[in-house]
Amino acid sequence: MRDQLQRLLQERIEFYTSDNQARSERKSHLKKELMRTREAEIVRVNAAGKVQSRKKEDTDTVLTYQVHLQYLLKQEDSFYIEEEMEEREARFRNGHLVEERELVPDLETEAEPQTWDAGAERLAYKYERMKAVQYAERWWNEFNPGYYKFTDDCTNFISQCLHAGGIPMWGTPNKNKGWWIRGKSWSYTWTTAHSLYHLLKAGNGIRTKQVESAQELNLGDILCIDFEGDGRFDHNLIVTAKDQEGMPLVNAHTMNSRHRYWTYEDSTRYTPNIVYKFFVILDGG
C-alpha cells in the first residue's frame, strides 16, 4: 500500500511540472492555470506523505494521510517557495488502490450571534507587522499549544497573528463583545471569519483602512474571502510576502498554506462569484 501511495505522489509531482493535461484532478489543473495567468511556472515539486490513520471496512482498507507539498516557482527572474498541506484518503480493496481523494475541510461552522458589540473604545497600540508575519511563518503548519486547538482554525490563526503583532484583546468574558480568547472561551470575532470581517470593517478596536486592491496591502495586512459571493465571509488570510509583481502571498490555516497567491484561484472552493475585502492594519489610539 505504501508503495502504491508513493507512486501516486510521484504521478502528481510529474503532472504539476509537465504540460500533460490528460489527468483531470481539478485542483492540480487549477494551480497550473493560475501559474499561466501569473506568467509564472512550477519548476519543481516536492511531496512527502505521512499516514495518519488506518481502518478496515469489510474487505477494504482505508488510509487517511497527510501530504506536504512544496512548489518551487519561477516568475521572471525571481524564485519563490510555496507550501501547502493536504489531507487525503486512499481506499484499497484486496491490496489494490480503488479510490483516492482529497478530504476538503469544512470552513467555520460555529453559530454566530445576530448582533455583537465591537466596542466603541479606540485602543492604544503599535502594530508591529513584522512580528505578526514572523508568527504566521512560525505557526503556518502547526498549532501553538498556548491556544485552544480548533478544527476550523483559519480565523483563530489570523487572530493569533494580529495579537502577536501587538494588538491587545478586549471584551472578555462576553462572547458577543470585543476580540479575545481565554482558555476554552472566546469571542465570535476571534474565531469566526464573518465576525472578524465585520470587526475589521468597523475599524474600532482594531484600527483599519479598507483599500480597493490587493496590491495596496503590506506585509501583516489581512484579506477576507467570501467564496460564494453570498455576503458571508468564509476565510481570512495574512500577507507574509510579495511576488515579483508586488502582489500578496499569504499564509493561512484550516487548509494550511504558506506564501500562497492571494486570489485562491487554485482552491477547490473557488467560484466565479468570489468576493475579496482588503484591510490595512493601522496603529491604534
Side-chain angles (χ1 to χ4, degrees):
M1 292 182 187
R2 289 182 181 273
D3 290 342
Q4 292 183 64
L5 289 179
Q6 187 61 46
R7 286 197 296 273
L8 191 64
L9 289 178
Q10 186 59 38
E11 287 176 9
R12 296 185 66 216
I13 289 172
E14 292 170 358
F15 177 79
Y16 279 120
T17 54
S18 74
D19 290 328
N20 178 18
Q21 294 296 326
R23 186 169 174 181
S24 61
E25 186 178 338
R26 182 167 180 256
K27 184 175 179 179
S28 304
H29 177 72
L30 290 172
K31 185 169 285 292
K32 292 182 75 170
E33 289 300 308
L34 178 58
M35 292 300 107
R36 292 188 177 95
T37 300
R38 295 175 62 194
E39 297 183 344
E41 64 175 310
I42 301 174
V43 178
R44 187 176 69 244
V45 181
N46 293 326
K50 180 180 180 181
V51 174
Q52 303 286 83
S53 67
R54 174 180 178 143
K55 63 180 179 180
K56 292 288 292 184
E57 295 182 357
D58 296 326
T59 60
D60 291 358
T61 300
V62 180
L63 300 182
T64 59
Y65 68 105
Q66 189 178 70
V67 182
H68 182 181
L69 291 159
Q70 289 183 315
Y71 309 94
L72 177 63
L73 310 179
K74 184 177 185 295
Q75 186 182 40
E76 298 181 13
D77 296 326
S78 296
F79 289 85
Y80 308 92
I81 291 180
E82 177 184 324
E83 300 182 75
E84 65 176 316
M85 303 299 297
E86 289 182 351
E87 303 292 332
R88 305 190 71 88
E89 180 182 89
R91 180 176 293 271
F92 294 86
R93 187 166 299 149
N94 298 322
H96 297 287
L97 181 67
V98 294
E99 182 183 16
E100 198 273 343
R101 65 190 180 98
E102 183 181 6
L103 300 175
V104 180
D106 293 328
L107 295 174
E108 292 158 341
T109 56
E110 182 178 16
E112 296 180 77
Q114 294 298 313
T115 60
W116 54 268
D117 180 7
E121 66 266 36
R122 182 61 61 84
L123 302 175
Y125 63 85
K126 178 176 175 57
Y127 184 51
E128 298 187 60
R129 54 184 63 248
M130 290 312 300
K131 286 188 176 181
V133 170
Q134 289 165 3
Y135 187 94
E137 291 282 84
R138 166 63 182 87
W139 295 103
W140 79 269
N141 193 34
E142 294 184 70
F143 294 94
N144 184 339
Y147 290 92
Y148 184 81
K149 182 178 179 180
F150 292 84
T151 302
D152 306 319
D153 195 58
C154 89
T155 303
N156 175 49
F157 174 66
I158 296 302
S159 290
Q160 290 177 32
C161 294
L162 293 171
H163 186 55
I167 300 176
M169 302 181 196
W170 77 99
T172 181
N174 188 340
K175 286 180 68 70
N176 296 330
K177 183 176 181 179
W179 177 75
W180 58 273
I181 188 169
R182 177 180 290 178
K184 296 182 180 180
S185 298
W186 46 81
S187 66
Y188 291 103
T189 52
W190 184 276
T191 62
T192 310
H194 192 61
S195 292
L196 181 61
Y197 159 70
H198 278 293
L199 180 66
L200 297 177
K201 183 180 178 182
N204 290 329
I206 300 178
R207 189 165 173 245
T208 63
K209 175 184 178 183
Q210 188 171 347
V211 294
E212 294 300 317
S213 70
Q215 202 162 10
E216 296 176 75
L217 298 177
N218 298 308
L219 303 190
D221 289 333
I222 304 297
L223 292 86
C224 301
I225 295 180
D226 170 4
F227 283 110
E228 300 292 334
D230 59 3
R232 179 183 174 82
F233 284 80
D234 312 289
H235 202 38
N236 297 306
L237 319 167
I238 183 168
V239 180
T240 53
K242 293 286 193 83
D243 72 3
Q244 182 74 9
E245 304 299 322
M247 301 305 292
L249 305 176
V250 297
N251 289 20
H253 264 204
T254 301
M255 297 171 283
N256 293 2
S257 55
R258 175 178 179 266
H259 293 184
R260 189 171 182 174
Y261 194 66
W262 70 274
T263 61
Y264 266 54
E265 291 172 79
D266 56 346
S267 170
T268 53
R269 295 191 180 277
Y270 178 87
T271 76
N273 299 321
I274 196 167
V275 173
Y276 308 96
K277 297 295 181 182
F278 312 110
F279 294 97
V280 174
I281 308 299
L282 305 175
D283 291 341

